[in-house]
Amino acid sequence: MMDIYHAGHVIIWLGPIKKSSTEKAVELMFKKAGSMWTEWEPVDNDDNTILAAEFGQDYNAVVIAAINILKRPWFERVWTIQEACFDTSPIMYASRHSVYLEHFIQFFQILAEENKSLYLCSGSARMICLDKIDHLYRSAIMAWDDDPTKTETGKLLVTILRLAGRKNSSDPKDQIYGLLSLLKYFKHENLPEELKPDYRLSHEEVYWNYAVFLFKSLGDLQLLDSTRNELEHVPSWVPDFRYLFLGHKPRCESYVRVSSDKRTLHLRGCKMGTFCNLKKRHVREDVKPCIEAIPAWLPYQCREFDKHILKPAATIREITIEELFNEIVEKAIMIMDRTSKESFYQVYRRLCKSSGGRRPRHAKRKLTPDLLWIEETIADMLIAPWILLNDGTVMSVFRRDADIETGDLVCLLKGAPALSLLRPSGDSYRYLSQCKVRSGQLKDQEFEDEFWTGRDVEDLSLI
């Protein structure tokens, strides 16, 4: 299918624009994006971005217009990635206004430097994806060190999966099949038999086969890293590729093995023990704070988080609850507009005291976009399970649908970028989720070779 997009002009239709004010801002934004660097420069002599000064009173409208564009479904579909790769030079249309996609990506990158909240839009991931794939394309043409044509097939496939990120497809199998044309384009050869599309198989079988191939060829334990896993009748270590999150470059581990019957993943690691406290997951993800109301579950979850995680962790570490909370959300704080009327912690405390329900009129008047975004971020954070270790380490469980139980073990798997939760099952273990250390001694720890010195490493089998 890649050949189709190189045979002529590629036009991307994003749909109409409903509001006239938004349409004017989109028209201005596209015009400026198309003439950037030729008719005007977005930085001053010291390389500081000057978009706010360039757009003047239209600046906020342009930011809102960019968000409007990035929320269009095109930016989330798996099959649209190949439309925009490898010098197809697509032209993007919203209503009657157009811009080359390449120019819009360049404009987005600079606008996002001034407004990091733009990275929270779903379409921002596609902007980054297309830019990174374009780099791979240039690397192949120029024969740079990271030339993808010289990369082993499994490693290149994982790289493409990592760059593609979250994407939508009507058929779950297309989460992988929709990217194979990129793999073939780089490799200039037929796919290995195990990777050839077979729509007769269920998506569970497809994911299982691809997991076996990738673990055998790479041993990359990042493949365990998914935000959900809805697969049935497959081993616990098979990733749900619909929710795969690959944040790092592939890490190859030679000791990772798959059994001959493809049911057991053999690896090595050390047991860190179990946890002392748990805040269980919230089962509903479809209700978030809005201008009109605060969902009733959110204040309850805030109080549960306070009771089971924040208060005991702060006591163990002998710090204040506010200090602990700010450490947990420090990356979100970096994105937040500094002019916000309330801090993250103040919003959290307000939510703890709330009973939920419809907001009073005076509360609606005080609610700014920044404050609503903070509420949404806290709500998103509390959907996942959280655990507390005996030394006061606080961890969020990466898989939002994981049902954590007392007795589940915190383990560090050799070669994995993060801690994992395993559930004993006879002499083997069932894989539950990776965990992110949000506060404590292991926060931002890189588990390289020196970390393992003196550790009690043992063989582990995942089923």
Side-chain angles (χ1 to χ4, degrees):
M1 188 175 286
M2 287 290 298
D3 295 336
I4 296 175
Y5 299 111
H6 286 263
H9 297 292
V10 176
I11 294 177
I12 298 169
W13 172 244
L14 298 180
I17 302 171
K18 295 180 179 179
K19 293 184 178 180
S20 59
S21 57
T22 303
E23 182 165 1
K24 290 179 181 178
V26 168
E27 180 181 14
L28 175 62
M29 177 176 64
F30 282 5
K31 181 179 179 181
K32 285 290 188 179
S35 61
M36 192 172 69
W37 299 115
T38 56
E39 297 181 11
W40 68 283
E41 294 189 1
V43 297
D44 60 19
N45 293 333
D46 297 320
D47 288 334
N48 299 310
T49 58
I50 54 172
L51 293 187
E54 177 69 24
F55 285 101
Q57 63 182 10
D58 295 319
Y59 179 73
N60 288 336
V62 167
V63 172
I64 294 172
I67 294 172
N68 179 287
I69 293 298
L70 292 171
K71 287 184 176 180
R72 303 292 172 120
W74 184 91
F75 291 95
E76 297 183 18
R77 294 174 182 150
V78 62
W79 288 106
T80 58
I81 294 176
Q82 60 188 329
E83 295 178 11
C85 293
F86 313 141
D87 273 349
T88 56
S89 301
I91 300 176
M92 191 170 68
Y93 276 85
S95 188
R96 57 190 176 85
H97 310 294
S98 65
V99 66
Y100 279 101
L101 178 61
E102 178 186 4
H103 295 161
F104 183 71
I105 292 174
Q106 294 172 356
F107 178 80
F108 164 80
Q109 290 170 337
I110 296 175
L111 184 64
E113 286 184 25
E114 292 187 349
N115 293 268
K116 290 184 171 57
S117 59
L118 285 173
Y119 286 118
L120 300 173
C121 297
S122 55
S124 67
R126 181 60 57 87
M127 295 285 95
I128 297 170
C129 161
L130 295 176
D131 185 58
K132 296 293 186 182
I133 291 178
D134 181 68
H135 175 78
L136 282 182
Y137 176 63
R138 304 296 170 194
S139 298
I141 293 176
M142 305 300 294
W144 292 338
D145 291 341
D146 54 351
D147 182 352
T149 64
K150 300 176 182 178
T151 303
E152 187 270 327
T153 299
K155 188 174 182 179
L156 180 57
L157 176 57
V158 169
T159 298
I160 292 172
L161 286 167
R162 177 174 61 86
L163 295 181
R166 284 291 304 274
K167 51 208 175 297
N168 294 331
S169 62
S170 56
D171 188 332
K173 294 186 281 291
D174 288 336
Q175 290 287 315
I176 297 174
Y177 291 165
L179 299 173
L180 292 184
S181 58
L182 277 69
L183 182 65
K184 290 179 66 177
Y185 187 90
F186 282 128
K187 296 303 292 180
H188 304 296
E189 60 188 30
N190 292 329
L191 295 173
E193 201 63 37
E194 308 97 302
L195 302 186
K196 290 182 178 179
D198 186 350
Y199 281 94
R200 296 170 299 178
L201 301 176
S202 68
H203 70 276
E204 284 93 349
E205 292 173 299
V206 171
Y207 291 2
W208 191 353
N209 290 339
Y210 269 78
V212 169
F213 176 87
L214 292 173
F215 277 122
K216 280 184 174 180
S217 59
L218 284 182
D220 184 9
L221 296 184
Q222 284 189 93
L223 291 168
L224 297 170
D225 203 0
S226 60
T227 57
R228 299 182 67 85
N229 196 313
E230 299 170 357
L231 304 182
E232 298 179 353
H233 314 302
V234 299
S236 64
W237 49 267
V238 175
D240 192 331
F241 284 89
R242 291 168 294 188
Y243 308 106
L244 195 63
F245 179 84
L246 297 169
H248 305 270
K249 293 183 178 180
R251 299 174 60 168
C252 303
E253 301 295 343
S254 58
Y255 54 81
V256 176
R257 296 184 297 106
V258 180
S259 63
S260 57
D261 64 0
K262 303 194 297 186
R263 293 189 173 277
T264 305
L265 185 67
H266 299 284
L267 32 72
R268 308 197 73 205
C270 63
K271 300 171 185 174
M272 311 288 284
T274 188
F275 49 85
C276 62
N277 272 29
L278 163 69
K279 187 205 80 69
K280 293 190 174 184
R281 69 186 180 98
H282 178 68
V283 295
R284 293 191 65 184
E285 298 189 27
D286 58 334
V287 180
K288 287 189 176 183
C290 63
I291 295 175
E292 296 298 324
I294 297 173
W297 68 266
L298 181 53
Y300 172 77
Q301 288 293 323
C302 287
R303 292 189 288 270
E304 287 291 290
F305 188 60
D306 229 37
K307 177 182 176 182
H308 296 290
I309 303 297
L310 289 184
K311 288 181 179 178
T315 300
I316 293 171
R317 294 180 55 196
E318 298 181 339
I319 59 177
T320 67
I321 293 177
E322 183 173 0
E323 289 173 326
L324 178 63
F325 182 85
N326 287 337
E327 185 179 352
I328 288 172
V329 300
E330 66 176 0
K331 289 188 177 179
I333 291 175
M334 292 172 62
I335 297 175
M336 183 185 67
D337 188 341
R338 300 295 181 184
T339 62
S340 176
K341 294 180 179 179
E342 292 180 278
S343 68
F344 254 81
Y345 185 70
Q346 287 172 327
V347 173
Y348 170 74
R349 277 288 150 224
R350 171 165 57 77
L351 290 173
C352 282
K353 297 174 183 178
S354 171
S355 57
R358 295 187 65 83
R359 299 181 197 265
R361 186 174 298 176
H362 70 275
K364 290 182 186 178
R365 287 198 297 266
K366 292 181 180 179
L367 188 65
T368 65
D370 285 337
L371 292 179
L372 182 58
W373 177 76
I374 294 174
E375 289 184 358
E376 291 173 344
T377 302
I378 293 172
D380 191 63
M381 179 180 81
L382 294 181
I383 289 172
W386 288 73
I387 58 176
L388 172 64
L389 305 188
N390 289 314
D391 64 354
T393 297
V394 175
M395 298 195 298
S396 58
V397 178
F398 204 74
R399 259 190 62 188
R400 295 183 167 206
D401 62 336
D403 284 317
I404 311 303
E405 299 176 358
T406 302
D408 292 338
L409 291 175
V410 179
C411 299
L412 181 57
L413 306 177
K414 205 165 189 304
L419 295 168
S420 295
L421 275 174
L422 307 182
R423 179 166 298 161
S425 179
D427 294 331
S428 302
Y429 299 88
R430 293 190 62 79
Y431 184 79
L432 297 177
S433 177
Q434 287 194 349
C435 301
K436 181 176 179 60
V437 178
R438 305 294 288 267
S439 177
Q441 295 180 1
L442 294 177
K443 185 176 182 182
D444 298 325
Q445 173 71 53
E446 294 185 3
F447 302 108
E448 304 295 343
D449 291 342
E450 58 270 17
F451 177 85
W452 292 91
T453 304
R455 301 276 174 179
D456 185 15
V457 180
E458 56 186 289
D459 294 327
L460 300 171
S461 299
L462 303 184
I463 58 174

